[in-house]
Amino acid sequence: AFMGTEFFPRLSSEEQKEVEIRVSAWRLSQFLHGEQGALLVASQLVNPLPELDCKLYASTQVVDEGRHVEVFERYVKKLHKIYPVDPLLKGLIDEILVSEHWELKLLGMQMLIEGLAIAAFNVMHKQTGDPTLAQLLDYVLQDEGRHVNFGYFALKRALPDMEASKHQMLEDFALRACDSMFARDERTGFQSIRGVWKEMGWDADAIWRDTMTNSQTAKAFNRFLFTEVLIPRLQRLGLITSRVQTRYREIGLVD
C-alpha cells in the first residue's frame, strides 16, 4: 500500500509489517463505519421513496448492509482493532441522515459514499495477499455495484422534473463532498490516518505530505473514485452544471 513513498523503504521489516496491519485496520474500520451509515440510510429510504419498486429495492439493501457491517466488524477485530470514524466520513453521513430530502439521501449514500466504497474496495482487493479478505471484498463489491446503479437510475428518473432550488442543492452537496474527499493538501482527504502515524511515534504531518505526494495507492484511489466512478456519473445526471463546473475545474476534477 505504500509503493512510491519515501518513508516506507527506510523501515525495518517488522516496522513495515506493523504499519501494514495498522493501516489496513484503519482502512477497514472506515469501511465498517461507512457500512453502518449505509444501513441507517437504506432503512430511511424505504418510507419516502415514491415508487414501489424503489421501496422494495431499498428494503433488500438494508439486508445487504447488515451483512456488510457484520463481516467487516468480525474481520477488523481479528486483524487489530476498530479505529474511530474519520471526521470527514462522519460529517457526510450525518448530513445525509438528517436531510429531509430522499433525493439527497440517494445522491449522498448511493452515489457518493457507495462510490467511495467501490474505489476503496477495489484498491484494497488488488493489494491484499489474504484470500479471505479478497473473497470478502468480491462479495461486497457485487452488492455495492447494484447499490450505486440503483441510486443512479432512481435519481435519473427524478431529476428532470425537479424544481430548480432542489437541483441546485444537490449540485452544491455533490461539489462539497468531492471537494473534501479529493485529498490534495493539508485540509482535504481522510486525515484521521494521521492517528496511525502518531501511534507509531512518527511525524504524522510529514508522512501525510509524503503519502499525499508520492503514494501510488493514493493516486490510484483518487483516479478510480473520481475519474472512473463519480465524475462521469455526476456529469451524466446533469449535476455538474455551468453553475458549479468552474469550481470542479479549479479543484482539478474536470478539464
Side-chain angles (χ1 to χ4, degrees):
F2 302 102
M3 184 183 300
T5 58
E6 296 176 355
F7 82 94
F8 193 72
R10 301 178 189 146
L11 304 178
S12 68
S13 59
E14 284 302 310
E15 286 176 321
Q16 289 180 345
K17 180 179 179 180
E18 186 65 21
V19 168
E20 290 282 9
I21 290 171
R22 292 183 185 228
V23 171
S24 294
W26 176 84
R27 292 165 76 182
L28 288 160
S29 295
Q30 304 316 310
F31 296 173
L32 169 61
H33 298 307
E35 299 295 349
Q36 291 169 327
L39 173 64
L40 296 176
V41 175
S43 67
Q44 287 184 336
L45 281 169
V46 175
N47 186 49
L49 286 171
E51 299 176 1
L52 179 60
D53 58 346
C54 292
K55 293 178 183 290
L56 294 175
Y57 185 84
S59 70
T60 69
Q61 185 175 340
V62 175
V63 179
D64 290 345
E65 305 297 1
R67 288 200 315 274
H68 300 173
V69 169
E70 180 182 14
V71 73
F72 279 123
E73 181 179 25
R74 291 174 64 182
Y75 188 95
V76 73
K77 282 182 176 178
K78 289 178 181 292
L79 181 65
H80 183 46
K81 71 174 185 179
I82 296 175
Y83 283 88
V85 61
D86 186 275
L88 168 54
L89 180 60
K90 184 180 187 301
L92 287 172
I93 292 173
D94 286 348
E95 185 172 356
I96 295 164
L97 283 170
V98 302
S99 176
E100 298 178 353
H101 304 286
W102 61 264
E103 299 93 341
L104 188 141
K105 294 181 187 293
L106 273 180
L107 173 63
M109 183 54 65
Q110 308 296 112
M111 300 290 299
L112 298 175
I113 293 183
E114 297 278 14
L116 170 69
I118 286 177
F121 295 168
N122 270 285
V123 170
M124 195 166 206
H125 186 275
K126 291 176 181 177
Q127 293 175 339
T128 185
D130 178 16
T132 300
L133 181 57
Q135 187 176 34
L136 184 165
L137 292 169
D138 272 334
Y139 285 133
V140 175
L141 276 165
Q142 292 176 35
D143 292 341
E144 303 294 14
R146 294 197 309 273
H147 301 166
V148 169
N149 283 331
F150 163 61
Y152 173 78
F153 286 111
L155 279 171
K156 189 176 181 181
R157 280 153 56 168
L159 283 167
D161 298 325
M162 186 177 293
E163 59 269 27
S165 59
K166 184 179 288 188
H167 198 285
Q168 291 181 2
M169 175 194 68
L170 298 183
E171 294 172 26
D172 293 338
F173 175 75
L175 174 59
R176 288 199 312 275
C178 289
D179 185 10
S180 59
M181 290 193 296
F182 182 40
R184 60 194 185 279
D185 54 33
E186 296 296 320
R187 67 173 186 83
T188 54
F190 298 91
Q191 299 198 24
S192 64
I193 195 170
R194 293 170 186 257
V196 177
W197 311 132
K198 291 178 182 178
E199 280 182 353
M200 300 291 290
W202 299 338
D203 185 337
D205 292 340
I207 296 179
W208 172 265
R209 289 190 294 270
D210 182 10
T211 54
M212 187 170 55
T213 304
N214 301 311
S215 169
Q216 296 304 306
T217 294
K219 293 175 182 177
F221 171 74
N222 280 334
R223 182 169 58 252
F224 197 105
L225 174 59
F226 295 104
T227 306
E228 299 184 30
V229 178
L230 290 186
I231 298 303
R233 287 176 181 267
L234 291 173
Q235 288 174 325
R236 289 198 295 271
L237 286 170
L239 289 174
I240 302 182
T241 62
S242 57
R243 192 177 69 88
V244 294
Q245 189 173 30
T246 300
R247 181 57 186 150
Y248 277 100
R249 190 175 293 114
E250 291 171 350
I251 296 169
L253 291 177
V254 299
D255 296 329

